[in-house]
Amino acid sequence: GDSVTQTEGQVALSEEDFLTIHCNYSASGYPTLFWYVQYPGEGPQLLFRASRDKEKGSSRGFEATYDKGTTSFHLRKASVQESDSAVYYCALSDTEGADRLTFGKGTQLIIQP
Amino acid sequence: GGIITQTPKFLIGQEGQKLTLKCQQNFNHDTMYWYRQDSGKGLRLIYYSITENDLQKGDLSEGYDASREKKSSFSLTVTSAQKNEMAVFLCASSRDRAGQNTLYFGAGTRLSVL
């Protein structure tokens, strides 16, 4: 079945550091890929999505590029802020018509001031 | 805009007890979902429903029942709570297919079983 692998369970950085959270996927079709963010006490919310190879999704200074060759969708931000502290989830749907998403295990991002 | 309301916010149960969690959405969305969130395990799909009175099993449906009697509401029942179980249950909705549309989540129900 489909799966999403986030290798980092937790990332700790200082303000203005560069962020990378790795996401690799396995899917039978041509999936749509998503990043969701969850702030403390809230439900996850969509950060952005990408549907095609080489498509870049971006929002709030975060970005990720769909790479079908390496089956990856790594999240990056050039300069993190304390307010970025949250849990980040990579997810996929195996087709645009799919009813459901498959989520990774999540990465807790901790930013120290 | 809209909102997803989950009740209760906190639920404490006893081992073997049947427990019901409720979810309401005012987006007028067709599809609703129940996910379980455990630390280090991410979000796992329990049940979803693509329309009123429809139910589809997810990856974690054993031990749970669900009910979609109205378009706006989706309830989840833990049929027999397990001792020391602790998890967050998240309800979500989307306008149509999840692959094309954004999932909107509620803030969750936090379950503790004594």
Side-chain angles (χ1 to χ4, degrees), chain A residues 67-111:
Chain A
D67 190 330
K68 196 167 187 295
T70 59
T71 61
S72 66
F73 193 52
H74 304 318
L75 182 69
R76 305 184 200 277
K77 187 175 185 185
S79 176
V80 293
Q81 304 300 313
E82 194 177 358
S83 58
D84 294 327
S85 297
V87 179
Y88 292 81
Y89 289 98
C90 185
L92 68 81
S93 72
D94 59 2
T95 66
E96 280 203 309
D99 292 327
R100 51 182 290 177
L101 300 189
T102 298
F103 285 85
K105 293 184 178 182
T107 299
Q108 169 115 42
L109 175 62
I110 299 168
I111 306 298

Side-chain angles (χ1 to χ4, degrees), chain A residues 1-4 25-29 92 94 100 102, chain B residues 59:
Chain A
D2 299 340
S3 66
V4 176
Y25 69 89
S26 172
S28 53
L92 68 81
D94 59 2
R100 51 182 290 177
T102 298
Chain B
D59 301 317

Side-chain angles (χ1 to χ4, degrees), chain A residues 2-30:
Chain A
D2 299 340
S3 66
V4 176
T5 301
Q6 292 179 238
T7 48
E8 299 94 353
Q10 188 175 88
V11 172
L13 296 171
S14 299
E15 280 195 317
E16 300 183 10
D17 279 353
F18 187 91
L19 167 71
T20 301
I21 296 176
H22 294 95
C23 172
N24 287 89
Y25 69 89
S26 172
S28 53
Y30 202 133

Side-chain angles (χ1 to χ4, degrees), chain A residues 32 34 36 38 40-46 49 51 87 89 93 95-106, chain B residues 31 33 35 37 40-43 45 48 50 57-59 90 96-107 110:
Chain A
T32 297
F34 304 79
Y36 277 78
Q38 184 178 24
E42 299 180 10
Q45 55 186 273
L46 179 68
R49 80 183 76 201
S51 301
V87 179
Y89 289 98
S93 72
T95 66
E96 280 203 309
D99 292 327
R100 51 182 290 177
L101 300 189
T102 298
F103 285 85
K105 293 184 178 182
Chain B
T31 309
Y33 309 81
Y35 281 90
Q37 182 176 39
K41 295 186 179 177
L43 304 178
L45 183 64
Y48 66 103
I50 61 173
K57 290 184 178 181
D59 301 317
L90 293 168
D96 191 353
R97 305 293 190 182
Q100 291 177 306
N101 297 285
T102 301
L103 256 62
Y104 293 88
F105 284 86
R110 283 152 181 79

